[in-house]
Amino acid sequence: MRHDTSIPLWRQRPLSAAVPLGLAPAGKETPAAPASAPSSVHPKTLARSLYIHIPFCFHKCHYCDFYSIVDTRDRQEPFTNRLIRELRALSPMAGTIETIFIGGGTPSLLRPPLWRELLRTLREAFDMTPTLEFTVECNPETVTPELMDMLAAGGVNRVSMGAQSFDTRHLKTLERWHNPESVALALAAARRAGIRRQNIDLIFGIPGQTLAEWERDLATALDLGTTHLSCYNLTYEPNTAMTARLKRGEFRPADEDTEVEMYGATLRLIRSRGMDRYEVSNYAGPGEECRHNLAYWRAEDWLAAGPSASGHFRGHRWKNTPRLDDYLDFDDNGLAPITEWEPPDPARALRERIMTGLRTREGLVEQRLHTDMSEAGVDPQVLGRHLADVTRQGLAERSGGSIRLTDHGMLLADGIAGSLMDLVPST
Protein backbone atom coordinates (compact mmCIF):
# COMPACT_ATOMS: atom_id res chain seq x y z
CA MET A 1 0.00 0.00 0.00
CA ARG A 2 1.26 3.48 -0.83
CA HIS A 3 1.27 5.87 2.15
CA ASP A 4 1.20 9.63 1.93
CA THR A 5 4.40 11.33 3.06
CA SER A 6 2.49 13.66 5.38
CA ILE A 7 2.64 11.02 8.08
CA PRO A 8 0.55 11.22 11.27
CA LEU A 9 2.50 12.62 14.20
CA TRP A 10 2.69 9.39 16.18
CA ARG A 11 4.67 7.67 13.43
CA GLN A 12 6.19 10.61 11.62
CA ARG A 13 8.32 12.35 14.21
CA PRO A 14 11.01 9.66 14.60
CA LEU A 15 11.32 9.50 10.82
CA SER A 16 11.42 13.13 9.83
CA ALA A 17 10.37 15.74 12.37
CA ALA A 18 13.27 14.70 14.57
CA VAL A 19 15.81 15.89 11.99
CA PRO A 20 17.72 18.89 13.40
CA LEU A 21 19.04 21.63 11.19
CA GLY A 22 22.24 20.50 9.53
CA LEU A 23 21.53 16.77 9.90
CA ALA A 24 18.61 16.41 7.50
CA PRO A 25 19.33 14.31 4.41
CA ALA A 26 20.41 16.53 1.54
CA GLY A 27 17.56 17.64 -0.69
CA LYS A 28 14.82 16.30 1.60
CA GLU A 29 12.30 18.60 3.20
CA THR A 30 10.95 17.69 6.61
CA PRO A 31 7.17 17.20 6.32
CA ALA A 32 5.04 19.24 8.69
CA ALA A 33 3.68 17.28 11.64
CA PRO A 34 -0.04 17.46 12.38
CA ALA A 35 -1.13 18.88 15.71
CA SER A 36 -2.51 15.70 17.23
CA ALA A 37 -2.15 11.94 17.16
CA PRO A 38 -4.96 9.47 16.59
CA SER A 39 -6.76 8.29 19.71
CA SER A 40 -6.51 4.60 18.85
CA VAL A 41 -4.37 2.42 16.62
CA HIS A 42 -5.04 -1.18 15.64
CA PRO A 43 -2.43 -3.39 17.39
CA LYS A 44 -1.60 -5.28 14.19
CA THR A 45 -0.34 -2.07 12.59
CA LEU A 46 2.31 -1.54 15.26
CA ALA A 47 5.90 -2.79 15.30
CA ARG A 48 6.63 -6.08 17.04
CA SER A 49 10.43 -6.04 16.86
CA LEU A 50 12.99 -3.70 18.38
CA TYR A 51 16.67 -3.16 17.59
CA ILE A 52 18.94 -1.29 20.00
CA HIS A 53 22.49 -0.20 19.13
CA ILE A 54 25.14 0.19 21.83
CA PRO A 55 28.22 1.65 20.12
CA PHE A 56 30.97 1.16 22.71
CA CYS A 57 34.00 -1.05 21.97
CA PHE A 58 37.37 -1.43 23.66
CA HIS A 59 39.00 -1.89 20.24
CA LYS A 60 37.88 -1.34 16.63
CA CYS A 61 38.21 -4.60 14.68
CA HIS A 62 39.72 -3.96 11.26
CA TYR A 63 36.96 -5.62 9.21
CA CYS A 64 34.04 -3.95 11.01
CA ASP A 65 32.01 -1.24 9.28
CA PHE A 66 29.29 -1.02 11.95
CA TYR A 67 29.22 2.19 13.96
CA SER A 68 31.37 1.71 17.05
CA ILE A 69 33.69 3.86 19.12
CA VAL A 70 36.44 3.42 21.66
CA ASP A 71 35.08 5.83 24.25
CA THR A 72 37.83 7.80 25.97
CA ARG A 73 35.36 10.26 27.57
CA ASP A 74 33.29 7.85 29.71
CA ARG A 75 29.93 8.61 28.08
CA GLN A 76 28.21 5.34 28.98
CA GLU A 77 25.92 6.92 31.57
CA PRO A 78 24.73 9.89 29.44
CA PHE A 79 24.30 7.50 26.53
CA THR A 80 22.14 5.14 28.57
CA ASN A 81 20.01 8.01 29.87
CA ARG A 82 19.57 9.30 26.32
CA LEU A 83 18.74 5.82 25.03
CA ILE A 84 16.10 5.37 27.72
CA ARG A 85 14.42 8.62 26.65
CA GLU A 86 14.41 7.46 23.04
CA LEU A 87 12.92 4.08 23.92
CA ARG A 88 10.10 5.71 25.88
CA ALA A 89 9.43 8.05 22.94
CA LEU A 90 9.27 5.12 20.50
CA SER A 91 7.05 2.92 22.67
CA PRO A 92 3.70 4.27 21.32
CA MET A 93 4.68 2.82 17.91
CA ALA A 94 5.13 -0.65 19.40
CA GLY A 95 2.58 -3.39 19.72
CA THR A 96 3.32 -6.50 21.73
CA ILE A 97 7.05 -6.94 21.23
CA GLU A 98 8.05 -10.39 19.97
CA THR A 99 11.79 -9.89 19.38
CA ILE A 100 14.50 -7.61 20.78
CA PHE A 101 18.06 -7.56 19.49
CA ILE A 102 20.77 -5.47 21.15
CA GLY A 103 23.84 -5.14 18.94
CA GLY A 104 26.85 -2.92 18.56
CA GLY A 105 29.59 -2.19 19.13
CA THR A 106 30.02 -4.40 22.15
CA PRO A 107 26.81 -4.35 24.23
CA SER A 108 28.39 -6.57 26.89
CA LEU A 109 30.84 -3.72 27.57
CA LEU A 110 28.05 -1.61 29.10
CA ARG A 111 28.45 -1.38 32.88
CA PRO A 112 26.07 -3.58 34.94
CA PRO A 113 24.22 -0.72 36.72
CA LEU A 114 23.43 0.80 33.32
CA TRP A 115 22.23 -2.56 32.05
CA ARG A 116 19.84 -2.74 34.99
CA GLU A 117 18.37 0.66 34.09
CA LEU A 118 18.02 -0.31 30.44
CA LEU A 119 16.35 -3.64 31.18
CA ARG A 120 14.01 -2.02 33.68
CA THR A 121 12.98 0.56 31.06
CA LEU A 122 12.24 -2.10 28.50
CA ARG A 123 9.95 -3.91 30.94
CA GLU A 124 8.17 -0.68 31.87
CA ALA A 125 7.83 0.89 28.42
CA PHE A 126 6.94 -2.10 26.25
CA ASP A 127 4.41 -4.90 26.34
CA MET A 128 6.25 -8.16 25.63
CA THR A 129 4.91 -11.52 24.55
CA PRO A 130 5.60 -14.49 26.87
CA THR A 131 7.48 -16.09 23.97
CA LEU A 132 9.76 -13.07 23.53
CA GLU A 133 13.11 -13.71 21.83
CA PHE A 134 15.63 -11.35 23.44
CA THR A 135 19.17 -11.44 22.02
CA VAL A 136 22.28 -9.59 23.20
CA GLU A 137 25.56 -9.56 21.27
CA CYS A 138 28.62 -10.31 23.39
CA ASN A 139 32.38 -10.20 23.09
CA PRO A 140 33.62 -13.26 25.01
CA GLU A 141 36.28 -11.23 26.82
CA THR A 142 33.63 -8.96 28.40
CA VAL A 143 31.33 -11.75 29.62
CA THR A 144 31.16 -12.45 33.35
CA PRO A 145 28.86 -14.77 35.32
CA GLU A 146 27.40 -11.71 37.06
CA LEU A 147 26.55 -10.06 33.72
CA MET A 148 24.89 -13.21 32.38
CA ASP A 149 22.86 -13.65 35.58
CA MET A 150 21.67 -10.05 35.35
CA LEU A 151 20.77 -10.32 31.65
CA ALA A 152 18.85 -13.53 32.25
CA ALA A 153 16.95 -11.94 35.13
CA GLY A 154 16.07 -9.06 32.80
CA GLY A 155 14.51 -11.36 30.21
CA VAL A 156 17.45 -12.02 27.87
CA ASN A 157 17.17 -15.61 26.57
CA ARG A 158 19.61 -15.62 23.66
CA VAL A 159 23.22 -14.49 23.19
CA SER A 160 25.24 -13.99 20.03
CA MET A 161 28.93 -14.56 20.70
CA GLY A 162 31.50 -12.95 18.41
CA ALA A 163 34.16 -15.64 18.00
CA GLN A 164 35.09 -15.02 14.31
CA SER A 165 37.84 -17.65 14.53
CA PHE A 166 39.47 -19.96 17.08
CA ASP A 167 42.89 -19.53 15.44
CA THR A 168 44.98 -16.82 17.09
CA ARG A 169 46.80 -16.11 13.81
CA HIS A 170 43.57 -15.32 12.01
CA LEU A 171 42.23 -13.29 14.92
CA LYS A 172 45.39 -11.20 14.67
CA THR A 173 44.80 -10.67 10.94
CA LEU A 174 41.31 -9.40 11.76
CA GLU A 175 42.65 -7.32 14.68
CA ARG A 176 40.17 -9.15 16.88
CA TRP A 177 41.26 -8.98 20.50
CA HIS A 178 40.13 -11.97 22.50
CA ASN A 179 41.48 -15.30 23.67
CA PRO A 180 39.79 -18.14 21.73
CA GLU A 181 39.42 -20.08 24.98
CA SER A 182 37.20 -17.32 26.38
CA VAL A 183 34.39 -18.26 23.94
CA ALA A 184 33.71 -21.57 25.70
CA LEU A 185 33.88 -19.90 29.12
CA ALA A 186 31.44 -17.18 28.05
CA LEU A 187 28.94 -19.65 26.60
CA ALA A 188 29.16 -21.77 29.75
CA ALA A 189 28.46 -18.71 31.90
CA ALA A 190 25.40 -17.95 29.77
CA ARG A 191 24.13 -21.53 30.11
CA ARG A 192 24.57 -21.50 33.87
CA ALA A 193 22.48 -18.32 33.96
CA GLY A 194 19.75 -20.08 31.98
CA ILE A 195 20.49 -18.52 28.57
CA ARG A 196 20.50 -21.66 26.45
CA ARG A 197 19.85 -20.24 22.97
CA GLN A 198 23.28 -19.30 21.66
CA ASN A 199 24.76 -18.16 18.38
CA ILE A 200 28.42 -18.06 17.39
CA ASP A 201 29.65 -15.67 14.69
CA LEU A 202 32.44 -16.99 12.44
CA ILE A 203 34.28 -15.49 9.47
CA PHE A 204 35.77 -17.46 6.57
CA GLY A 205 37.92 -16.34 3.67
CA ILE A 206 40.43 -14.70 6.01
CA PRO A 207 43.76 -14.03 4.23
CA GLY A 208 46.00 -17.05 4.72
CA GLN A 209 43.20 -19.28 6.02
CA THR A 210 43.15 -22.83 4.62
CA LEU A 211 40.14 -25.06 4.09
CA ALA A 212 41.33 -27.36 6.88
CA GLU A 213 41.62 -24.41 9.29
CA TRP A 214 38.07 -23.28 8.46
CA GLU A 215 36.73 -26.79 9.01
CA ARG A 216 38.52 -26.83 12.37
CA ASP A 217 36.86 -23.53 13.34
CA LEU A 218 33.45 -24.93 12.39
CA ALA A 219 34.00 -28.14 14.33
CA THR A 220 35.18 -26.23 17.39
CA ALA A 221 32.07 -24.03 17.35
CA LEU A 222 29.73 -26.99 16.92
CA ASP A 223 31.46 -28.92 19.70
CA LEU A 224 30.57 -26.07 22.05
CA GLY A 225 26.91 -27.04 21.69
CA THR A 226 25.70 -23.94 19.88
CA THR A 227 22.23 -24.07 18.37
CA HIS A 228 22.91 -21.43 15.73
CA LEU A 229 25.88 -20.38 13.59
CA SER A 230 26.38 -17.23 11.51
CA CYS A 231 29.16 -17.82 8.99
CA TYR A 232 30.19 -14.75 7.03
CA ASN A 233 32.51 -14.55 4.07
CA LEU A 234 35.02 -11.79 4.83
CA THR A 235 34.16 -8.70 2.83
CA TYR A 236 36.31 -5.62 2.39
CA GLU A 237 34.01 -2.74 3.19
CA PRO A 238 34.92 0.84 2.24
CA ASN A 239 36.54 2.99 4.92
CA THR A 240 37.66 0.07 7.07
CA ALA A 241 41.21 -0.60 8.23
CA MET A 242 41.07 -4.03 6.58
CA THR A 243 40.43 -2.52 3.17
CA ALA A 244 43.20 0.04 3.67
CA ARG A 245 45.63 -2.75 4.54
CA LEU A 246 44.57 -4.70 1.45
CA LYS A 247 45.22 -1.66 -0.75
CA ARG A 248 48.66 -1.28 0.82
CA GLY A 249 49.46 -4.85 -0.17
CA GLU A 250 49.85 -6.17 3.39
CA PHE A 251 48.09 -9.43 2.44
CA ARG A 252 46.36 -11.17 -0.43
CA PRO A 253 42.63 -11.89 -0.23
CA ALA A 254 41.43 -15.47 -0.30
CA ASP A 255 40.82 -16.70 -3.84
CA GLU A 256 37.27 -17.36 -4.97
CA ASP A 257 37.74 -21.12 -5.44
CA THR A 258 38.85 -21.49 -1.83
CA GLU A 259 35.87 -19.48 -0.61
CA VAL A 260 33.50 -21.72 -2.60
CA GLU A 261 35.13 -24.81 -1.06
CA MET A 262 34.72 -23.30 2.40
CA TYR A 263 31.04 -22.63 1.73
CA GLY A 264 30.53 -26.24 0.62
CA ALA A 265 32.38 -27.55 3.66
CA THR A 266 30.14 -25.42 5.88
CA LEU A 267 26.99 -27.03 4.46
CA ARG A 268 28.37 -30.57 4.75
CA LEU A 269 29.63 -30.25 8.32
CA ILE A 270 26.67 -28.34 9.70
CA ARG A 271 24.13 -30.70 8.11
CA SER A 272 26.00 -33.65 9.57
CA ARG A 273 25.26 -32.15 13.01
CA GLY A 274 21.49 -31.86 12.45
CA MET A 275 21.48 -28.16 11.53
CA ASP A 276 20.74 -26.51 8.19
CA ARG A 277 21.02 -23.20 6.37
CA TYR A 278 17.94 -20.99 6.56
CA GLU A 279 19.57 -17.88 5.09
CA VAL A 280 22.71 -17.39 3.01
CA SER A 281 24.95 -16.94 6.06
CA ASN A 282 22.85 -18.39 8.89
CA TYR A 283 22.43 -21.97 10.10
CA ALA A 284 20.29 -23.39 12.89
CA GLY A 285 18.85 -26.51 14.42
CA PRO A 286 15.09 -27.08 14.17
CA GLY A 287 13.24 -24.19 15.78
CA GLU A 288 16.45 -22.32 16.60
CA GLU A 289 16.30 -19.77 13.78
CA CYS A 290 16.78 -16.15 14.87
CA ARG A 291 13.23 -14.76 14.80
CA HIS A 292 14.49 -11.19 14.92
CA ASN A 293 16.52 -11.60 11.75
CA LEU A 294 13.58 -13.36 10.11
CA ALA A 295 11.55 -10.21 10.78
CA TYR A 296 14.11 -8.27 8.72
CA TRP A 297 14.13 -10.77 5.88
CA ARG A 298 10.31 -10.94 5.80
CA ALA A 299 10.14 -7.14 5.55
CA GLU A 300 8.19 -6.82 8.80
CA ASP A 301 8.24 -3.62 10.85
CA TRP A 302 10.83 -2.95 13.52
CA LEU A 303 11.74 0.03 15.66
CA ALA A 304 15.32 1.17 16.15
CA ALA A 305 17.06 3.05 18.96
CA GLY A 306 20.62 4.23 19.48
CA PRO A 307 23.14 5.94 17.21
CA SER A 308 23.26 4.52 13.64
CA ALA A 309 20.29 2.20 14.30
CA SER A 310 18.05 1.68 11.25
CA GLY A 311 14.30 1.12 11.46
CA HIS A 312 11.41 0.16 9.18
CA PHE A 313 7.81 1.11 9.87
CA ARG A 314 4.87 1.03 7.46
CA GLY A 315 7.14 1.34 4.45
CA HIS A 316 9.23 4.16 5.90
CA ARG A 317 12.94 3.55 6.44
CA TRP A 318 15.22 5.68 8.57
CA LYS A 319 18.64 5.69 10.14
CA ASN A 320 19.64 7.49 13.31
CA THR A 321 22.71 9.67 13.24
CA PRO A 322 25.92 7.60 13.43
CA ARG A 323 27.61 10.11 15.74
CA LEU A 324 27.37 9.74 19.49
CA ASP A 325 27.86 13.46 20.16
CA ASP A 326 24.96 14.38 17.86
CA TYR A 327 22.82 11.65 19.37
CA LEU A 328 23.49 12.99 22.87
CA ASP A 329 23.13 16.67 21.99
CA PHE A 330 19.83 16.55 20.12
CA ASP A 331 16.71 15.46 21.95
CA ASP A 332 13.24 16.14 20.53
CA ASN A 333 11.12 14.83 23.39
CA GLY A 334 13.30 11.75 23.36
CA LEU A 335 13.39 11.19 19.62
CA ALA A 336 16.76 10.93 17.88
CA PRO A 337 18.18 12.88 14.94
CA ILE A 338 18.27 10.96 11.67
CA THR A 339 20.60 11.15 8.70
CA GLU A 340 18.57 9.09 6.25
CA TRP A 341 14.85 8.75 5.59
CA GLU A 342 13.02 7.04 2.74
CA PRO A 343 9.24 7.34 2.32
CA PRO A 344 7.17 4.35 1.19
CA ASP A 345 7.97 3.24 -2.35
CA PRO A 346 6.16 0.16 -3.72
CA ALA A 347 8.85 -0.56 -6.31
CA ARG A 348 11.64 -0.39 -3.72
CA ALA A 349 9.63 -2.57 -1.33
CA LEU A 350 9.14 -5.20 -4.05
CA ARG A 351 12.84 -5.23 -4.92
CA GLU A 352 13.71 -5.63 -1.25
CA ARG A 353 11.26 -8.54 -0.85
CA ILE A 354 12.89 -10.24 -3.82
CA MET A 355 16.40 -9.72 -2.46
CA THR A 356 15.69 -10.84 1.10
CA GLY A 357 13.29 -13.61 0.11
CA LEU A 358 15.74 -15.31 -2.22
CA ARG A 359 18.41 -15.24 0.48
CA THR A 360 16.25 -17.42 2.74
CA ARG A 361 15.22 -21.06 2.77
CA GLU A 362 11.59 -19.90 2.53
CA GLY A 363 12.20 -18.36 -0.87
CA LEU A 364 9.41 -16.47 -2.65
CA VAL A 365 5.76 -17.49 -2.88
CA GLU A 366 5.30 -17.72 -6.64
CA GLN A 367 1.69 -16.60 -6.78
CA ARG A 368 2.44 -13.47 -4.77
CA LEU A 369 5.56 -12.80 -6.84
CA HIS A 370 3.56 -13.01 -10.08
CA THR A 371 0.83 -10.77 -8.67
CA ASP A 372 3.25 -8.17 -7.31
CA MET A 373 5.33 -8.11 -10.48
CA SER A 374 2.22 -7.83 -12.66
CA GLU A 375 0.95 -4.90 -10.58
CA ALA A 376 4.38 -3.27 -10.97
CA GLY A 377 4.07 -3.50 -14.76
CA VAL A 378 6.30 -6.52 -15.41
CA ASP A 379 5.26 -8.68 -18.36
CA PRO A 380 4.20 -12.09 -16.93
CA GLN A 381 5.81 -13.91 -19.85
CA VAL A 382 9.15 -12.18 -19.21
CA LEU A 383 8.99 -13.15 -15.54
CA GLY A 384 7.99 -16.72 -16.40
CA ARG A 385 10.91 -17.14 -18.78
CA HIS A 386 13.29 -15.72 -16.18
CA LEU A 387 12.15 -18.14 -13.48
CA ALA A 388 12.24 -21.04 -15.94
CA ASP A 389 15.84 -20.17 -16.87
CA VAL A 390 17.18 -20.16 -13.30
CA THR A 391 15.30 -23.38 -12.56
CA ARG A 392 16.61 -25.12 -15.66
CA GLN A 393 20.17 -24.11 -14.74
CA GLY A 394 19.79 -25.76 -11.33
CA LEU A 395 20.02 -22.45 -9.50
CA ALA A 396 16.46 -22.56 -8.15
CA GLU A 397 13.76 -25.12 -7.45
CA ARG A 398 9.99 -25.02 -7.18
CA SER A 399 8.34 -26.66 -4.19
CA GLY A 400 5.11 -26.15 -2.26
CA GLY A 401 4.12 -23.10 -4.27
CA SER A 402 7.42 -21.32 -3.64
CA ILE A 403 10.60 -20.82 -5.62
CA ARG A 404 13.82 -21.01 -3.66
CA LEU A 405 17.51 -21.11 -4.49
CA THR A 406 19.47 -24.36 -4.46
CA ASP A 407 22.80 -24.72 -2.68
CA HIS A 408 24.53 -23.75 -5.92
CA GLY A 409 22.11 -20.90 -6.48
CA MET A 410 22.88 -19.48 -3.04
CA LEU A 411 26.44 -18.87 -4.21
CA LEU A 412 24.98 -16.55 -6.84
CA ALA A 413 22.11 -15.18 -4.75
CA ASP A 414 22.90 -11.51 -5.23
CA GLY A 415 23.19 -11.84 -9.00
CA ILE A 416 20.00 -13.88 -9.35
CA ALA A 417 18.05 -11.49 -7.15
CA GLY A 418 19.55 -8.52 -8.94
CA SER A 419 18.41 -9.76 -12.34
CA LEU A 420 14.86 -10.16 -11.00
CA MET A 421 14.97 -6.77 -9.33
CA ASP A 422 16.03 -5.18 -12.61
CA LEU A 423 12.70 -6.22 -14.09
CA VAL A 424 10.85 -3.92 -11.67
CA PRO A 425 10.33 -0.44 -13.16
CA SER A 426 10.91 2.56 -10.92
CA THR A 427 7.90 4.44 -9.59
Side-chain angles (χ1 to χ4, degrees):
M1 178 184 297
R2 181 187 294 274
H3 297 286
D4 191 84
T5 55
S6 56
I7 320 160
L9 175 64
W10 61 273
R11 62 188 173 97
Q12 180 236 358
R13 289 170 61 84
L15 311 184
S16 53
V19 183
L21 185 64
L23 286 181
K28 290 191 180 295
E29 181 180 356
T30 300
S36 61
S39 58
S40 63
V41 180
H42 195 284
K44 289 187 178 179
T45 68
L46 299 176
R48 294 176 294 178
S49 291
L50 172 64
Y51 175 73
I52 299 171
H53 193 81
I54 296 178
F56 303 110
C57 278
F58 58 82
H59 171 72
K60 182 74 171 180
C61 300
H62 281 197
Y63 58 88
C64 180
D65 71 333
F66 294 111
Y67 176 61
S68 61
I69 59 169
V70 178
D71 185 29
T72 59
R73 292 155 54 189
D74 193 15
R75 289 172 288 178
Q76 285 199 12
E77 184 171 355
F79 162 78
T80 303
N81 293 336
R82 176 69 184 86
L83 178 64
I84 285 172
R85 291 194 298 275
E86 184 183 15
L87 288 168
R88 292 192 183 279
L90 289 173
S91 62
M93 298 166 63
T96 300
I97 294 293
E98 298 179 356
T99 72
I100 299 174
F101 196 107
I102 301 184
T106 305
S108 52
L109 196 61
L110 196 68
R111 293 194 292 271
L114 302 177
W115 264 114
R116 290 190 188 93
E117 291 300 315
L118 175 57
L119 294 169
R120 181 183 302 116
T121 298
L122 289 171
R123 291 195 301 270
E124 293 173 353
F126 296 92
D127 179 32
M128 301 179 190
T129 178
T131 57
L132 173 75
E133 175 190 272
F134 191 162
T135 305
V136 173
E137 286 185 342
C138 298
N139 180 307
E141 290 290 348
T142 61
V143 168
T144 64
E146 293 75 21
L147 175 62
M148 292 296 102
D149 287 341
M150 184 183 59
L151 293 181
V156 175
N157 53 23
R158 186 176 182 273
V159 291
S160 181
M161 203 67 61
Q164 317 314 344
S165 176
F166 294 93
D167 187 310
T168 55
R169 182 167 57 93
H170 300 318
L171 290 173
K172 177 59 178 174
T173 299
L174 297 171
E175 278 293 310
R176 179 78 182 178
W177 288 5
H178 72 259
N179 184 336
E181 295 179 359
S182 66
V183 177
L185 297 174
L187 292 173
R191 287 195 187 96
R192 285 194 298 271
I195 304 175
R196 303 197 176 279
R197 295 192 64 204
Q198 302 180 342
N199 170 63
I200 295 178
D201 281 349
L202 293 175
I203 293 176
F204 67 93
I206 301 170
Q209 185 182 43
T210 66
L211 176 60
E213 289 168 340
W214 169 241
E215 290 175 330
R216 189 157 56 246
D217 273 351
L218 281 171
T220 301
L222 291 167
D223 287 345
L224 292 176
T226 182
T227 56
H228 188 289
L229 280 178
S230 296
C231 302
Y232 301 107
N233 191 355
L234 178 64
T235 55
Y236 297 89
E237 302 292 350
N239 303 316
T240 62
M242 201 79 182
T243 299
R245 290 165 58 198
L246 176 67
K247 290 179 178 178
R248 291 196 298 267
E250 293 185 17
F251 50 73
R252 295 178 60 185
D255 64 83
E256 187 174 313
D257 289 343
T258 299
E259 291 176 335
V260 170
E261 289 180 343
M262 289 177 172
Y263 182 76
T266 304
L267 290 173
R268 289 192 300 273
L269 184 53
I270 284 179
R271 285 171 175 167
S272 74
R273 301 291 189 98
M275 299 168 65
D276 206 350
R277 183 195 61 227
Y278 70 101
E279 191 269 346
V280 167
S281 302
N282 287 273
Y283 307 80
E288 294 296 332
E289 297 86 355
C290 178
R291 286 161 42 206
H292 186 87
N293 284 343
L294 284 171
Y296 294 157
W297 299 322
R298 291 169 177 165
E300 297 175 6
D301 288 339
W302 67 90
L303 301 178
S308 84
S310 296
H312 178 258
F313 190 70
R314 294 193 177 182
H316 295 266
R317 290 189 175 276
W318 75 97
K319 180 179 180 178
N320 286 355
T321 177
R323 288 177 54 85
L324 181 57
D325 283 338
D326 293 335
Y327 179 76
L328 295 176
D329 291 344
F330 181 82
D331 187 334
D332 181 9
N333 295 315
L335 299 171
I338 68 168
T339 55
E340 299 173 19
W341 169 66
E342 296 178 356
D345 180 340
R348 186 197 71 222
L350 175 54
R351 293 189 194 101
E352 289 174 352
R353 285 199 301 274
I354 291 170
M355 172 60 78
T356 57
L358 285 179
R359 289 177 62 89
T360 68
R361 180 173 57 197
E362 296 173 348
L364 297 168
V365 177
E366 276 207 73
Q367 184 57 55
R368 182 184 179 188
L369 177 63
H370 279 277
T371 300
D372 290 347
M373 294 289 263
S374 178
E375 291 177 352
V378 177
D379 185 335
Q381 292 186 346
V382 172
L383 175 61
R385 287 196 297 270
H386 194 95
L387 297 178
D389 284 346
V390 294
T391 303
R392 185 174 57 253
Q393 295 171 47
L395 302 176
E397 59 187 9
R398 288 180 160 101
S399 175
S402 294
I403 185 162
R404 56 183 62 88
L405 299 185
T406 61
D407 289 345
H408 181 50
M410 280 290 182
L411 289 168
L412 307 170
D414 288 350
I416 296 170
S419 62
L420 268 177
M421 293 160 63
D422 288 343
L423 299 178
V424 181
S426 299
T427 55

